[in-house]
Amino acid sequence: MHKRLVAGATATAVGLLLAGCAATPEAITAVELRSHAEDQKARLGHAGDVDPVQGPIDLYEAMARALKHNMKHRVAVMETALAAGETELARHDLLPALTVRAGLDGRNNYTGSFSRPLLASDEAGPRGTTADTSQELTHATANLTLSWNVLDFGLSYIRARQAADKQLIAEENRRKAANRLIEQVRSAYWRAVSADRLRRQFRRLDGSANGALRRSRQQQRDGVVAPVTALTYQRELLDIKKQITKLTAGLAIAKAELAQLMGLKPGTHFHLKVPARFKALPNLGASLEEMSDIGLRNRPEVRELIYRHRINAKEANAALLELLPTAQLHIGANVDTNDLLFNGDWIDFGARTAWNAMRILRYPQKKRVIEAKAGVIREEALATSMMIVTQIRVARIRYGLLRRELKATNGYYRVQRQLLQQVRSQQAAGALGEQAVIRERMNLLVARVKRDIVYADYQNALAAVFWSMGIDPYDADLSTEQPLQVMADDLRSLWAHGRHPDRRDLRRGRQTASLSQASLLGRSGAGPRAKAVARVRR
């Protein structure tokens, strides 16, 4: 019997060893790739959870759609929810262990024993002739034990607090994703609006330009116009067409980019609402020092590093706690159906302690690792602060440059429009021909394209100013669970009416510096520059 058991165990071990050695890397098969691709295409085609397009989309609806349906932002929201779940799971580790056991034991014969009497000479006497047993052939047992490890409780408490900090890091990452998303939406929206408006104008004007080119070539062949004059006109017209094509090339894909940012199904047809431009371009009412102070308190990267430093500090506490001896307390209720027991049910309790002395040897190295990590975080915080201050300076300079460039392009556009009016007047008086009018109309279209491109860059620069300071582009009460129109109205109130209220939900235990757009953006020519007021909510 013993030999058979040994042989069976040996055969099982050899089989498991061979199975482990047989494990080799298996590349993804073509069938699996095809199945995955079809599944992803089906998921991309499913737009049941995306609000349908019911009319022209304005800027604030585009923002709301991006916050509600953008895939990357939804991933960031899900990661925040996942971190919250992990925090709740870590809290459950603080509870004592409650173990329930039940079993059935049996034998094919009785267990029994003989006894020997002990003699006064501390020697054993002869073995008794009668064996007895205290256990039935089959009996059932059940046990309910409540145990609590003091050291594990302390470590679990530290891990739970670290998980809470990681949840806050996930929330800051979500903020960062939302801020970047809104900046991208603003840029893509204004470019797409410009592309929609200019595409129709260029289509109408292109036919006239092609007709003017044909007539000029015909006049050149007929000798009506001198070749140099005709070719010079054709060169000017073709050069203008080349400029328009080059300028509009960057606008052509803006609408597809906007659709992707809004989470719309690829190929979804939608129109954009063309808003009125600002008549007055706002100045920045906050100084560089004030903006830098806000950014160094409010950027997600800064808050993330603070949370990481807190997590590392808690790791140092955990390393010290691991050096202590552990204490295990338990109490349990037991039931045994063995009729030969005097007490078939009982309660047991006890306390045990243990100490792993080897942890003392590894503590110095662990302490050095924790201190090194703290040093890395400090240096990273310094580098991040430098990056933020630089980004704020660059955003401020870029905003000012684009503001001046937009004024210049607006002035150029007005001059070109007046020039076209003069040329049309001369054409009506018979002093100029239609070809001159077409040329100036195309020059006006070039000026309009340039103005719209600069305006789109200006809007992007305006969003970058708020992003560089870590100011959220949405209200703290805004939720992606709200109806789309409610979200759009809230964003419209926030951006269009200059209301920029406090962004943080105090129930989340966060502190922030909030800023009003009215205080940050002072209207041009409105007297002394208003100072930005930062209010820190704790």
Side-chain angles (χ1 to χ4, degrees):
M1 172 67 77
H2 178 70
K3 291 182 179 180
R4 287 199 298 270
L5 289 175
V6 171
T10 303
T12 302
V14 171
L16 292 174
L17 181 62
L18 292 176
C21 294
T24 56
E26 294 184 9
I28 302 174
T29 64
V31 175
E32 290 174 323
L33 287 172
R34 189 181 304 110
S35 175
H36 175 76
E38 291 175 355
D39 177 67
Q40 294 303 309
K41 286 175 61 178
R43 293 185 63 188
L44 286 174
H46 178 68
D49 56 346
V50 176
D51 293 88
V53 178
Q54 298 179 342
I57 298 176
D58 66 358
L59 174 61
Y60 308 105
E61 182 179 340
M63 290 182 181
R65 285 183 175 275
L67 291 174
K68 193 176 181 69
H69 300 306
N70 181 265
M71 296 296 181
K72 289 186 177 180
H73 185 252
R74 288 171 67 174
V75 170
V77 172
M78 293 175 67
E79 287 176 345
T80 303
L82 176 61
E86 290 175 344
T87 301
E88 188 64 27
L89 183 62
R91 291 195 187 103
H92 282 85
D93 291 338
L94 297 173
L95 300 176
L98 183 63
T99 306
V100 180
R101 295 186 184 91
L104 180 66
D105 297 308
R107 295 172 56 97
N108 66 333
N109 53 21
Y110 282 100
T111 178
S113 62
F114 296 95
S115 61
R116 295 177 183 270
L118 294 179
L119 305 178
S121 60
D122 200 19
E123 294 182 359
R127 191 184 77 166
T129 59
T130 303
D132 55 12
T133 183
S134 60
Q135 181 175 308
E136 292 184 307
L137 287 178
T138 303
H139 67 105
T141 59
N143 171 266
L144 179 65
T145 302
L146 182 68
S147 61
W148 190 55
N149 190 304
V150 179
L151 182 59
D152 285 348
F153 173 80
L155 291 174
S156 296
Y157 176 73
I158 293 176
R159 301 305 180 203
R161 294 186 61 188
Q162 288 177 322
D165 288 334
K166 291 177 181 179
Q167 177 184 348
L168 295 173
I169 289 177
E171 176 63 22
E172 294 303 325
N173 289 333
R174 187 201 62 79
R175 280 188 60 216
K176 188 184 346 181
N179 290 347
R180 179 61 72 182
L181 178 62
I182 291 298
E183 183 186 11
Q184 293 172 344
V185 167
R186 288 178 67 87
S187 178
Y189 174 82
W190 287 109
R191 291 179 180 276
V193 165
S194 299
D196 272 0
R197 180 171 55 243
L198 297 173
R199 188 180 298 111
R200 293 189 294 268
Q201 297 173 358
F202 179 65
R203 190 179 296 117
R204 292 194 300 267
L205 187 56
D206 191 52
S208 300
N210 291 333
L213 284 171
R214 286 193 299 270
R215 287 190 295 273
S216 176
R217 292 177 183 127
Q218 186 62 44
Q219 290 173 354
Q220 178 186 351
R221 287 192 295 269
D222 295 343
V224 177
V225 180
V228 174
T229 303
L231 290 172
T232 300
Y233 174 78
Q234 294 170 26
R235 183 186 64 183
E236 291 177 354
L237 210 58
L238 290 171
D239 185 63
I240 296 171
K241 287 186 64 175
K242 184 176 69 174
Q243 286 188 59
I244 295 175
T245 303
K246 185 177 180 179
L247 290 170
T248 55
L251 304 177
I253 61 174
K255 197 167 184 179
E257 291 177 349
L258 181 62
Q260 184 267 329
L261 291 170
M262 293 189 299
L264 294 178
K265 175 184 174 181
T268 300
H269 183 69
F270 63 95
H271 295 287
L272 296 175
K273 186 180 295 184
V274 180
R277 293 183 176 86
F278 294 126
K279 294 182 180 180
L281 303 179
N283 285 312
L284 291 180
S287 67
L288 177 61
E289 183 178 356
E290 290 169 330
M291 293 171 65
S292 299
D293 183 60
I294 293 169
L296 291 175
R297 286 181 290 158
N298 216 39
R299 280 284 290 268
E301 295 89 341
V302 172
R303 296 172 178 232
E304 179 182 351
L305 285 168
I306 293 174
Y307 292 136
R308 285 173 53 191
H309 179 74
R310 281 164 45 172
I311 291 172
N312 193 59
K314 293 181 179 70
E315 191 64 32
N317 295 334
L320 286 173
L321 193 60
E322 287 176 347
L323 297 178
L324 301 177
T326 181
Q328 179 81 28
L329 309 176
H330 75 275
I331 183 171
N334 302 270
V335 176
D336 195 324
T337 61
N338 185 6
D339 287 338
L340 299 179
L341 291 178
F342 181 76
N343 289 313
D345 57 271
W346 68 96
I347 294 176
D348 67 325
F349 52 88
R352 295 180 179 85
T353 183
W355 183 41
N356 186 354
M358 296 300 293
R359 288 180 176 175
I360 297 178
L361 300 178
R362 64 189 297 264
Y363 174 73
Q365 179 60 30
K366 190 168 186 179
K367 182 181 178 182
R368 285 192 291 269
V369 171
I370 293 173
E371 290 175 348
K373 190 172 183 179
V376 171
I377 294 175
R378 283 194 299 270
E379 291 302 316
E380 190 174 353
L382 184 61
T384 301
S385 298
M386 179 65 70
M387 176 195 69
I388 290 172
V389 172
T390 303
Q391 286 177 345
I392 291 174
R393 181 183 292 272
V394 170
R396 183 184 175 90
I397 293 173
R398 182 169 177 263
Y399 177 81
L401 291 175
L402 284 169
R403 184 173 177 272
R404 290 194 292 271
E405 185 178 355
L406 184 57
K407 284 184 176 181
T409 54
N410 275 333
Y412 182 87
Y413 175 76
R414 286 193 296 268
V415 170
Q416 181 61 42
R417 188 170 56 185
Q418 292 172 6
L419 179 60
L420 177 61
Q421 293 173 353
Q422 294 296 322
V423 171
R424 281 175 171 169
S425 298
Q426 293 183 20
Q427 181 199 19
L432 290 175
E434 182 186 7
Q435 292 179 342
V437 176
I438 293 174
R439 179 180 58 200
E440 296 308 325
R441 283 177 61 194
M442 295 193 70
N443 280 325
L444 180 64
L445 184 59
V446 170
R448 184 174 296 162
V449 172
K450 290 181 177 179
R451 183 189 63 172
D452 282 4
I453 290 175
V454 173
Y455 189 75
D457 291 338
Y458 164 79
Q459 287 292 333
N460 189 25
L462 179 61
V465 168
F466 288 97
W467 169 82
S468 67
M469 292 187 293
I471 296 178
D472 291 347
Y474 51 87
D475 198 339
D477 297 330
L478 188 69
S479 171
T480 55
E481 302 299 325
Q482 293 176 327
L484 180 66
Q485 195 56 49
V486 173
M487 294 178 62
D489 291 342
D490 189 56
L491 288 165
R492 185 177 295 105
S493 176
L494 187 70
W495 283 92
H497 304 301
R499 181 180 64 82
H500 222 89
D502 297 336
R503 311 279 188 275
R504 299 296 174 273
D505 189 343
L506 296 180
R507 291 172 295 180
R508 297 179 183 174
R510 300 193 304 182
Q511 60 182 10
T512 185
S514 64
L515 186 69
S516 67
Q517 280 194 13
S519 61
L520 179 63
L521 300 178
R523 295 297 179 182
S524 57
R529 185 175 61 184
K531 290 186 177 181
V533 180
R535 299 187 304 276
V536 179
R537 299 183 63 183
R538 299 185 182 278

